Amino acid sequence: MENSSKAGNFLVKIIIGGISVLIAEFLLPGIHVDSVVTGFILAAVIILINLTIKPLLIILTLPITILTLGIFLLVINAAMLLLAAEIIPGFSVDGFWWALFFAVLLSIINSLFGNSLDSIN
């Protein structure tokens, strides 16, 4: 029963994350998502990247994150979005600053929806 709950929670996060991606893409001209399906795929890939690669980067960059009082985490989020842009056909970002703005806006929209793309639980 617990596994089906986690799977359902994962699907809800993908749906809410996909809606958030599409809203943020609409608001930012430097972000390009070709279709609605690509937006939902992007949400799923962001969740997987945040579960696997992002924790390793946070540990490796802990000294600079402490020195910048956590602001460097925004750079890591932007880098993860640029990585997703390389992986997913149909999603492109015009540059690092657009990725940074997209990461911040996506975080704000997800927090308004009560959703976090960082974990599955």
Side-chain angles (χ1 to χ4, degrees):
M1 185 78 175
E2 185 177 316
N3 288 335
S4 65
S5 174
K6 284 189 178 186
N9 195 12
F10 184 68
L11 288 175
V12 168
K13 285 190 177 294
I14 291 174
I15 291 169
I16 293 173
I19 293 168
S20 300
V21 163
L22 295 172
I23 291 170
E25 184 262 342
F26 177 75
L27 296 173
L28 294 174
I31 305 297
H32 310 285
V33 178
D34 288 348
S35 68
V36 174
V37 174
T38 304
F40 289 105
I41 292 171
L42 175 61
V45 169
I46 289 172
I47 290 171
L48 294 175
I49 287 174
N50 285 345
L51 288 172
T52 56
I53 300 170
K54 187 177 174 183
L56 296 173
L57 281 178
I58 290 173
I59 290 170
L60 290 174
T61 61
L62 193 58
I64 193 166
T65 302
I66 292 170
L67 286 174
T68 61
L69 302 175
I71 294 175
F72 191 73
L73 291 174
L74 293 173
V75 173
I76 293 174
N77 286 340
M80 296 300 98
L81 285 171
L82 290 171
L83 174 65
E86 293 296 321
I87 295 172
I88 301 171
F91 171 62
S92 63
V93 180
D94 287 347
F96 172 79
W97 291 108
W98 285 114
L100 187 70
F101 296 145
F102 185 64
V104 170
L105 186 59
L106 196 60
S107 295
I108 291 169
I109 294 170
N110 276 317
S111 66
L112 291 175
F113 284 144
N115 189 29
S116 171
L117 295 181
D118 284 341
S119 64
I120 296 177
N121 53 0

